[in-house]
Each structure stands twice: as C-alpha cells, then as structure tokens.
Amino acid sequence: DSGVTQTPKHLITATGQRVTLRCSPRSGDLSVYWYQQSLDQGLQFLIQYYNGEERAKGNILERFSAQQFPDLHSELNLSSLELGDSALYFCASSVGIIGGRGLKSKNQETQYFGPGTRLLVL
Amino acid sequence: QQQVKQSPQSLIVQKGGISIINCAYENTAFDYFPWYQQFPGKGPALLIAIRPDVSEKKEGRFTISFNKSAKQFSLHIMDSQPGDSATYFCAARSSYGQNFVFGPGTRLSVLP
C-alpha cells in the first residue's frame, strides 16, 4: 500500500459527460501528479501540483482540468468525455520540492502511485 | 528529445534466469532514472532508481546498469521468479525539469 488513495476505483459513463476523479496524497507529501495510462499510449504525464499551485503541465487536454485543495487532496476533472478517454488514471504523490520554489528548485524524485481509477466511456 | 525508448516490449524468462530490460534516452538533462514495477490492477511502484554519477546500483536481485556516454540504462533481474511477472517501466527526469518521461513498458513473464 503506497499510502495514496484514489476514488472511485471504477467509473462508467457516457460520451459527453463530465466526471471528477479524486486523489489523496501520502501524509506529508505536497506534490500530486496525474497520469493517464492507456493500452496504446503507456503512462502519460498530465499535470503536477505542488502545495496547491500548478507546477508542471504535460499532455493534458483542454477538456481536462485539475486542482489541489488546501488539505492537499487533488481532483482531476474530465469533461465532454470521448470514447478515447477510456483509460486508467493514476495519481502519484511525492514529498515536494527542495531548494525553494524558484528556478533552482528541484523536484523530489520518488513518486508513490495510487491504485488508479479505471474510466470507461461508452 | 523527451522520449525514453524501452525494449523489449515483452519478455519470457524461465524461473531462475536473468531478465534484462533496456532503455535509452536522448535528453542529457535527465539526471534521475527510476524503474517501476506494475502488477495487473495496481499502480506502478518504485523498484529501484539510479543517478548518472554511478554506473551500477544493486538492490537484492535487481540491478540497474547505467551507461552515461551511450545514454542507456538497463534493469537486470537475477534469479527471476514467477512473482516477478509484471510490467516494468523505465523513466527519466531532470531534477529541474517539469515531469517524468516513461518508457512504453515491458511485460515480463517468468515461467515456473
């Protein structure tokens, strides 16, 4: 058990709908990452938050958005869902960033992954 | 330049054998190279990681070999066991970079 929790475990919805995936990081971790894993794309980084602020953006569609709340849990919102959005969505957490928040700040490397949310869009 | 290439796509090894998975990268700014193990229905779990200031790191039956000049690194699983059957992902990151880049994964099957 990584200490990262994700809900729901499974989600079935229809095209055009909107869903929210939730992630609670390990106790003490300030950084949260979201990943999408599909059969043909592998693990794709979507977005990272650090202590409530967006830190990095990857291959995240405009239809998707995320936020990290003051209690450090994070939500990933997927809207106008398409069939191709069906995938496993993982959240990971890490301690955070050392060396401050400027250009010289460094990401703590070790990420702990949650069990994932399996999304099926019909 | 952000890609990490991984091979083979799948690997079948007899129990007790050595499993070898290879990865290659292009971005010389990468300075942290973890390997993740993922069982079906579970999230990836960090297995072992290496920084480019060493050429090898060993933890139990798992060894990472790193060749900085060739920009390649590999995972060796010694005395492979059926319980090692999983998908393995290599990854890379720059400490000052924005995100991890993952390889496409290798599905390992260890036959009893």
Side-chain angles (χ1 to χ4, degrees):
Chain A
D1 183 5
S2 66
V4 178
T5 60
Q6 288 186 249
T7 56
K9 195 168 183 177
H10 302 277
L11 198 48
I12 302 175
T13 188
T15 55
Q17 295 299 304
R18 171 190 168 96
V19 297
T20 297
L21 313 183
R22 184 189 168 102
C23 167
S24 292
R26 293 188 325 149
S27 177
D29 284 359
L30 298 179
S31 268
V32 169
Y33 307 75
W34 285 98
Y35 292 87
Q36 180 191 58
Q37 185 177 40
S38 56
L39 283 173
D40 58 344
Q41 293 289 325
L43 264 170
Q44 297 289 317
F45 168 73
L46 296 178
I47 196 164
Q48 177 197 358
Y49 279 82
Y50 170 72
N51 203 21
E53 294 187 8
E54 184 182 304
R55 163 84 174 167
K57 214 172 214 182
N59 302 321
I60 188 166
L61 300 172
E62 284 190 13
R63 300 183 286 109
F64 296 179
S65 65
Q67 54 184 325
Q68 186 180 26
F69 295 87
D71 67 353
L72 300 177
H73 92 270
S74 178
E75 294 181 354
L76 179 67
N77 300 295
L78 315 176
S79 61
S80 304
L81 284 167
E82 302 175 359
L83 296 177
D85 297 328
S86 296
L88 267 169
Y89 291 84
F90 287 105
C91 164
S93 74
S94 70
V95 171
I97 300 172
I98 59 174
R101 295 169 57 182
L103 290 175
K104 292 188 176 179
S105 64
K106 298 174 67 172
N107 280 295
Q108 286 282 21
E109 299 95 352
T110 304
Q111 294 187 5
Y112 297 88
F113 281 77
T117 293
R118 185 175 293 275
L119 173 67
L120 180 60
V121 182
L122 300 175
Chain B
Q1 185 146 42
Q2 285 295 318
Q3 264 190 328
V4 174
K5 297 180 181 178
Q6 183 174 348
S7 62
Q9 192 173 31
S10 62
L11 182 60
I12 299 175
V13 173
Q14 292 286 339
K15 178 182 175 182
I18 301 173
S19 304
I20 302 174
I21 305 171
N22 300 299
C23 284
Y25 64 97
E26 295 179 1
N27 188 344
T28 54
F30 289 148
D31 62 359
Y32 176 70
F33 303 89
W35 284 89
Y36 285 84
Q37 179 188 55
Q38 185 179 24
F39 293 104
K42 304 287 186 183
L46 179 66
L47 189 62
I48 186 172
I50 196 169
R51 288 193 167 276
D53 51 350
V54 297
S55 60
E56 186 175 283
K57 183 174 182 180
K58 184 175 181 178
E59 289 184 3
R61 297 184 293 108
F62 301 92
T63 300
I64 300 179
S65 296
F66 187 85
N67 186 330
K68 188 175 181 178
S69 61
K71 291 184 281 187
Q72 295 175 348
F73 58 110
S74 59
L75 176 69
H76 293 63
I77 305 175
M78 312 299 287
D79 187 26
S80 299
Q81 299 296 311
D84 297 331
S85 297
T87 299
Y88 292 81
F89 294 93
C90 62
R93 169 180 222 171
S94 164
S95 291
Y96 299 101
Q98 297 303 302
N99 53 272
F100 276 92
V101 179
F102 282 82
T106 295
R107 181 170 290 185
L108 171 65
S109 297
V110 181
L111 304 179

